[in-house]
Short mmCIF file of all heavy atoms in Angstrom, two decimals:
data_model
loop_
_atom_site.label_atom_id
_atom_site.label_comp_id
_atom_site.label_asym_id
_atom_site.label_seq_id
_atom_site.Cartn_x
_atom_site.Cartn_y
_atom_site.Cartn_z
N LYS A 30 0.83 -1.20 0.00
CA LYS A 30 0.00 0.00 0.00
C LYS A 30 0.87 1.26 0.00
O LYS A 30 0.59 2.22 -0.71
CB LYS A 30 -0.92 0.00 1.22
CG LYS A 30 -2.08 -0.98 1.15
CD LYS A 30 -2.94 -0.87 2.41
CE LYS A 30 -4.14 -1.78 2.34
NZ LYS A 30 -4.97 -1.69 3.57
N GLU A 31 1.91 1.23 0.81
CA GLU A 31 2.80 2.39 0.89
C GLU A 31 3.49 2.62 -0.45
O GLU A 31 3.61 3.75 -0.92
CB GLU A 31 3.83 2.15 1.98
CG GLU A 31 4.75 3.32 2.25
CD GLU A 31 5.70 3.07 3.40
OE1 GLU A 31 5.46 2.11 4.16
OE2 GLU A 31 6.68 3.82 3.54
N ALA A 32 3.94 1.53 -1.08
CA ALA A 32 4.64 1.65 -2.37
C ALA A 32 3.69 2.13 -3.46
O ALA A 32 4.06 2.96 -4.30
CB ALA A 32 5.25 0.31 -2.75
N LEU A 33 2.47 1.61 -3.46
CA LEU A 33 1.51 1.99 -4.50
C LEU A 33 1.02 3.42 -4.33
O LEU A 33 0.65 4.07 -5.31
CB LEU A 33 0.32 1.03 -4.48
CG LEU A 33 0.62 -0.42 -4.88
CD1 LEU A 33 -0.59 -1.32 -4.62
CD2 LEU A 33 1.03 -0.50 -6.35
N ALA A 34 1.02 3.91 -3.09
CA ALA A 34 0.55 5.28 -2.84
C ALA A 34 1.60 6.32 -3.20
O ALA A 34 1.28 7.49 -3.40
CB ALA A 34 0.15 5.44 -1.37
N ALA A 35 2.86 5.89 -3.28
CA ALA A 35 3.93 6.84 -3.60
C ALA A 35 3.80 7.31 -5.04
O ALA A 35 3.53 6.51 -5.94
CB ALA A 35 5.30 6.19 -3.38
N PRO A 36 3.94 8.61 -5.29
CA PRO A 36 3.82 9.11 -6.67
C PRO A 36 4.93 8.56 -7.54
O PRO A 36 6.07 8.40 -7.09
CB PRO A 36 3.94 10.63 -6.50
CG PRO A 36 4.66 10.82 -5.20
CD PRO A 36 4.26 9.66 -4.33
N ALA A 37 4.59 8.27 -8.77
CA ALA A 37 5.60 7.79 -9.72
C ALA A 37 6.56 8.92 -10.04
O ALA A 37 6.15 10.08 -10.19
CB ALA A 37 4.93 7.31 -11.00
N PRO A 38 7.85 8.64 -10.10
CA PRO A 38 8.82 9.71 -10.40
C PRO A 38 8.60 10.28 -11.79
O PRO A 38 8.38 9.54 -12.75
CB PRO A 38 10.17 8.99 -10.30
CG PRO A 38 9.86 7.54 -10.51
CD PRO A 38 8.48 7.33 -9.96
N ALA A 39 8.62 11.60 -11.88
CA ALA A 39 8.43 12.26 -13.17
C ALA A 39 9.70 12.15 -14.00
O ALA A 39 10.80 12.11 -13.44
CB ALA A 39 8.08 13.74 -12.95
N PRO A 40 9.58 12.11 -15.31
CA PRO A 40 10.78 12.06 -16.14
C PRO A 40 11.64 13.29 -15.90
O PRO A 40 11.14 14.42 -15.85
CB PRO A 40 10.22 12.06 -17.58
CG PRO A 40 8.79 11.67 -17.45
CD PRO A 40 8.34 12.13 -16.10
N ALA A 41 12.92 13.08 -15.72
CA ALA A 41 13.82 14.19 -15.43
C ALA A 41 14.06 15.02 -16.68
O ALA A 41 14.28 14.48 -17.76
CB ALA A 41 15.15 13.65 -14.89
N PRO A 42 13.99 16.33 -16.56
CA PRO A 42 14.28 17.18 -17.73
C PRO A 42 15.75 17.08 -18.10
O PRO A 42 16.59 16.72 -17.28
CB PRO A 42 13.92 18.59 -17.23
CG PRO A 42 14.08 18.51 -15.74
CD PRO A 42 13.70 17.12 -15.35
N ALA A 43 16.07 17.43 -19.34
CA ALA A 43 17.46 17.43 -19.77
C ALA A 43 18.24 18.41 -18.91
O ALA A 43 17.85 19.56 -18.74
CB ALA A 43 17.55 17.81 -21.24
N SER A 44 19.34 17.96 -18.35
CA SER A 44 20.12 18.80 -17.44
C SER A 44 21.35 19.35 -18.16
O SER A 44 21.68 18.95 -19.27
CB SER A 44 20.57 17.97 -16.23
OG SER A 44 21.44 16.94 -16.66
N ALA A 45 22.04 20.27 -17.48
CA ALA A 45 23.28 20.81 -18.03
C ALA A 45 24.31 19.69 -18.21
O ALA A 45 25.09 19.70 -19.16
CB ALA A 45 23.82 21.89 -17.09
N THR A 46 24.29 18.73 -17.30
CA THR A 46 25.22 17.60 -17.41
C THR A 46 24.96 16.81 -18.68
O THR A 46 25.88 16.41 -19.40
CB THR A 46 25.09 16.69 -16.18
OG1 THR A 46 25.34 17.46 -15.01
CG2 THR A 46 26.07 15.52 -16.25
N GLU A 47 23.65 16.55 -18.98
CA GLU A 47 23.30 15.81 -20.19
C GLU A 47 23.69 16.59 -21.44
O GLU A 47 24.15 16.02 -22.44
CB GLU A 47 21.81 15.49 -20.19
CG GLU A 47 21.41 14.48 -19.10
CD GLU A 47 19.91 14.39 -18.95
OE1 GLU A 47 19.21 15.34 -19.33
OE2 GLU A 47 19.44 13.37 -18.44
N ALA A 48 23.46 17.93 -21.39
CA ALA A 48 23.83 18.76 -22.54
C ALA A 48 25.34 18.72 -22.78
O ALA A 48 25.81 18.64 -23.92
CB ALA A 48 23.37 20.20 -22.30
N LEU A 49 26.12 18.75 -21.68
CA LEU A 49 27.56 18.69 -21.82
C LEU A 49 28.00 17.35 -22.38
O LEU A 49 28.89 17.28 -23.24
CB LEU A 49 28.22 18.93 -20.45
CG LEU A 49 29.75 18.82 -20.40
CD1 LEU A 49 30.38 19.83 -21.35
CD2 LEU A 49 30.24 19.03 -18.98
N ALA A 50 27.34 16.26 -21.93
CA ALA A 50 27.67 14.93 -22.45
C ALA A 50 27.40 14.86 -23.94
O ALA A 50 28.17 14.26 -24.71
CB ALA A 50 26.86 13.87 -21.69
N GLY A 51 26.29 15.49 -24.40
CA GLY A 51 25.98 15.50 -25.83
C GLY A 51 27.03 16.25 -26.62
O GLY A 51 27.43 15.83 -27.72
N LEU A 52 27.49 17.38 -26.07
CA LEU A 52 28.52 18.16 -26.75
C LEU A 52 29.82 17.37 -26.87
O LEU A 52 30.49 17.37 -27.90
CB LEU A 52 28.75 19.47 -25.99
CG LEU A 52 29.86 20.39 -26.54
CD1 LEU A 52 29.55 20.80 -27.98
CD2 LEU A 52 30.01 21.62 -25.66
N LEU A 53 30.18 16.66 -25.78
CA LEU A 53 31.40 15.85 -25.80
C LEU A 53 31.31 14.76 -26.85
O LEU A 53 32.30 14.45 -27.54
CB LEU A 53 31.64 15.24 -24.41
CG LEU A 53 32.08 16.20 -23.30
CD1 LEU A 53 32.12 15.49 -21.96
CD2 LEU A 53 33.42 16.82 -23.63
N ARG A 54 30.09 14.16 -26.99
CA ARG A 54 29.92 13.13 -28.01
C ARG A 54 30.14 13.70 -29.41
O ARG A 54 30.75 13.06 -30.28
CB ARG A 54 28.53 12.49 -27.89
CG ARG A 54 28.39 11.52 -26.73
CD ARG A 54 27.13 10.68 -26.87
NE ARG A 54 25.92 11.50 -26.85
CZ ARG A 54 25.26 11.82 -25.73
NH1 ARG A 54 25.72 11.40 -24.55
NH2 ARG A 54 24.17 12.55 -25.78
N GLN A 55 29.62 14.92 -29.66
CA GLN A 55 29.80 15.55 -30.97
C GLN A 55 31.27 15.82 -31.26
O GLN A 55 31.72 15.77 -32.40
CB GLN A 55 29.01 16.87 -31.03
CG GLN A 55 27.51 16.69 -31.01
CD GLN A 55 26.79 18.03 -31.02
OE1 GLN A 55 27.27 18.99 -31.61
NE2 GLN A 55 25.64 18.10 -30.37
N LEU A 56 32.04 16.10 -30.21
CA LEU A 56 33.45 16.39 -30.38
C LEU A 56 34.31 15.13 -30.40
O LEU A 56 35.53 15.19 -30.54
CB LEU A 56 33.94 17.31 -29.25
CG LEU A 56 33.31 18.71 -29.21
CD1 LEU A 56 33.77 19.46 -27.96
CD2 LEU A 56 33.68 19.50 -30.47
N GLY A 57 33.64 13.98 -30.21
CA GLY A 57 34.37 12.72 -30.22
C GLY A 57 35.14 12.45 -28.94
O GLY A 57 36.08 11.66 -28.92
N VAL A 58 34.71 13.11 -27.84
CA VAL A 58 35.38 12.92 -26.56
C VAL A 58 34.54 11.99 -25.69
O VAL A 58 33.32 12.19 -25.57
CB VAL A 58 35.58 14.27 -25.83
CG1 VAL A 58 36.25 14.06 -24.47
CG2 VAL A 58 36.40 15.21 -26.70
N GLN A 59 35.18 10.98 -25.11
CA GLN A 59 34.46 10.04 -24.25
C GLN A 59 34.17 10.67 -22.90
O GLN A 59 35.10 11.07 -22.18
CB GLN A 59 35.29 8.76 -24.08
CG GLN A 59 34.62 7.69 -23.24
CD GLN A 59 33.40 7.11 -23.95
OE1 GLN A 59 33.40 6.91 -25.15
NE2 GLN A 59 32.37 6.83 -23.20
N ALA A 60 32.90 10.79 -22.56
CA ALA A 60 32.55 11.34 -21.25
C ALA A 60 32.81 10.31 -20.16
O ALA A 60 32.64 9.12 -20.39
CB ALA A 60 31.07 11.74 -21.24
N PRO A 61 33.23 10.75 -18.97
CA PRO A 61 33.47 9.80 -17.88
C PRO A 61 32.16 9.14 -17.45
O PRO A 61 31.11 9.77 -17.42
CB PRO A 61 34.05 10.67 -16.76
CG PRO A 61 33.58 12.06 -17.08
CD PRO A 61 33.51 12.14 -18.57
N ALA A 62 32.23 7.85 -17.16
CA ALA A 62 31.04 7.11 -16.73
C ALA A 62 30.63 7.56 -15.33
O ALA A 62 31.47 7.81 -14.46
CB ALA A 62 31.33 5.61 -16.73
N ALA A 63 29.32 7.71 -15.15
CA ALA A 63 28.82 8.11 -13.83
C ALA A 63 28.98 6.94 -12.86
O ALA A 63 28.81 5.78 -13.22
CB ALA A 63 27.35 8.50 -13.94
N ALA A 64 29.31 7.28 -11.63
CA ALA A 64 29.44 6.24 -10.61
C ALA A 64 28.07 5.65 -10.32
O ALA A 64 27.08 6.38 -10.18
CB ALA A 64 30.03 6.85 -9.34
N PRO A 65 27.97 4.32 -10.22
CA PRO A 65 26.67 3.70 -9.95
C PRO A 65 26.17 4.08 -8.56
O PRO A 65 26.95 4.18 -7.60
CB PRO A 65 26.96 2.20 -10.03
CG PRO A 65 28.44 2.08 -9.78
CD PRO A 65 29.04 3.33 -10.34
N VAL A 66 24.87 4.32 -8.45
CA VAL A 66 24.27 4.66 -7.16
C VAL A 66 24.00 3.37 -6.40
O VAL A 66 23.29 2.49 -6.89
CB VAL A 66 22.95 5.44 -7.36
CG1 VAL A 66 22.31 5.75 -6.01
CG2 VAL A 66 23.21 6.72 -8.14
N PRO A 67 24.58 3.19 -5.21
CA PRO A 67 24.36 1.95 -4.47
C PRO A 67 22.90 1.80 -4.06
O PRO A 67 22.25 2.76 -3.65
CB PRO A 67 25.28 2.10 -3.24
CG PRO A 67 25.49 3.57 -3.09
CD PRO A 67 25.45 4.14 -4.49
N VAL A 68 22.40 0.58 -4.17
CA VAL A 68 21.02 0.29 -3.78
C VAL A 68 21.00 -0.06 -2.30
O VAL A 68 21.79 -0.89 -1.84
CB VAL A 68 20.47 -0.89 -4.60
CG1 VAL A 68 19.05 -1.24 -4.16
CG2 VAL A 68 20.50 -0.56 -6.08
N PRO A 69 20.15 0.59 -1.49
CA PRO A 69 20.10 0.28 -0.06
C PRO A 69 19.79 -1.19 0.18
O PRO A 69 19.11 -1.84 -0.60
CB PRO A 69 18.97 1.18 0.47
CG PRO A 69 18.87 2.29 -0.52
CD PRO A 69 19.21 1.67 -1.84
N LEU A 70 20.30 -1.70 1.29
CA LEU A 70 20.07 -3.09 1.68
C LEU A 70 18.58 -3.36 1.81
O LEU A 70 17.84 -2.57 2.38
CB LEU A 70 20.78 -3.35 3.01
CG LEU A 70 20.82 -4.78 3.54
CD1 LEU A 70 21.67 -5.66 2.63
CD2 LEU A 70 21.38 -4.79 4.95
N GLN A 71 18.13 -4.49 1.27
CA GLN A 71 16.71 -4.85 1.33
C GLN A 71 16.45 -6.07 2.20
O GLN A 71 15.38 -6.19 2.79
CB GLN A 71 16.19 -5.15 -0.09
CG GLN A 71 16.28 -3.98 -1.06
CD GLN A 71 15.38 -2.84 -0.66
OE1 GLN A 71 14.24 -3.04 -0.26
NE2 GLN A 71 15.89 -1.62 -0.75
N TRP A 72 17.41 -6.98 2.29
CA TRP A 72 17.20 -8.23 3.01
C TRP A 72 18.43 -8.55 3.85
O TRP A 72 19.55 -8.22 3.50
CB TRP A 72 16.95 -9.38 2.03
CG TRP A 72 15.77 -9.15 1.14
CD1 TRP A 72 15.78 -8.57 -0.10
CD2 TRP A 72 14.41 -9.43 1.43
NE1 TRP A 72 14.51 -8.50 -0.60
CE2 TRP A 72 13.64 -9.02 0.32
CE3 TRP A 72 13.75 -10.02 2.51
CZ2 TRP A 72 12.27 -9.17 0.26
CZ3 TRP A 72 12.38 -10.16 2.45
CH2 TRP A 72 11.65 -9.74 1.34
N ILE A 73 18.20 -9.24 4.95
CA ILE A 73 19.27 -9.65 5.85
C ILE A 73 19.15 -11.15 6.09
O ILE A 73 18.04 -11.66 6.32
CB ILE A 73 19.17 -8.91 7.20
CG1 ILE A 73 19.38 -7.40 6.99
CG2 ILE A 73 20.17 -9.44 8.21
CD1 ILE A 73 19.03 -6.59 8.21
N ARG A 74 20.27 -11.84 6.03
CA ARG A 74 20.29 -13.27 6.33
C ARG A 74 20.81 -13.46 7.75
O ARG A 74 21.92 -13.05 8.07
CB ARG A 74 21.16 -14.03 5.33
CG ARG A 74 20.52 -14.14 3.97
CD ARG A 74 21.28 -15.12 3.10
NE ARG A 74 22.61 -14.65 2.77
CZ ARG A 74 23.52 -15.38 2.13
NH1 ARG A 74 23.25 -16.63 1.79
NH2 ARG A 74 24.70 -14.86 1.85
N ALA A 75 20.00 -14.08 8.60
CA ALA A 75 20.38 -14.31 9.99
C ALA A 75 20.35 -15.81 10.28
O ALA A 75 19.39 -16.50 9.93
CB ALA A 75 19.41 -13.58 10.93
N ALA A 76 21.41 -16.31 10.90
CA ALA A 76 21.47 -17.72 11.27
C ALA A 76 20.47 -18.00 12.39
O ALA A 76 20.35 -17.22 13.34
CB ALA A 76 22.88 -18.08 11.71
#
């Protein structure tokens, strides 16, 4: 119920970072990969 009641995330508008990445692609420059966002722990195994 809590998950279903939460609003769905809106699509993010194009940011300055995305615009810069597009410019780098046009110039043939490889943009640095974004660091992956760690997913919070969901389950615990207990003996």
Side-chain angles (χ1 to χ4, degrees):
K30 287 181 177 179
E31 185 176 346
L33 293 171
S44 64
T46 302
E47 292 169 338
L49 177 60
L52 177 60
L53 289 173
R54 284 194 298 271
Q55 292 178 33
L56 296 174
V58 178
Q59 182 68 38
V66 178
V68 178
L70 187 67
Q71 299 294 318
W72 302 92
I73 296 169
R74 288 191 293 174

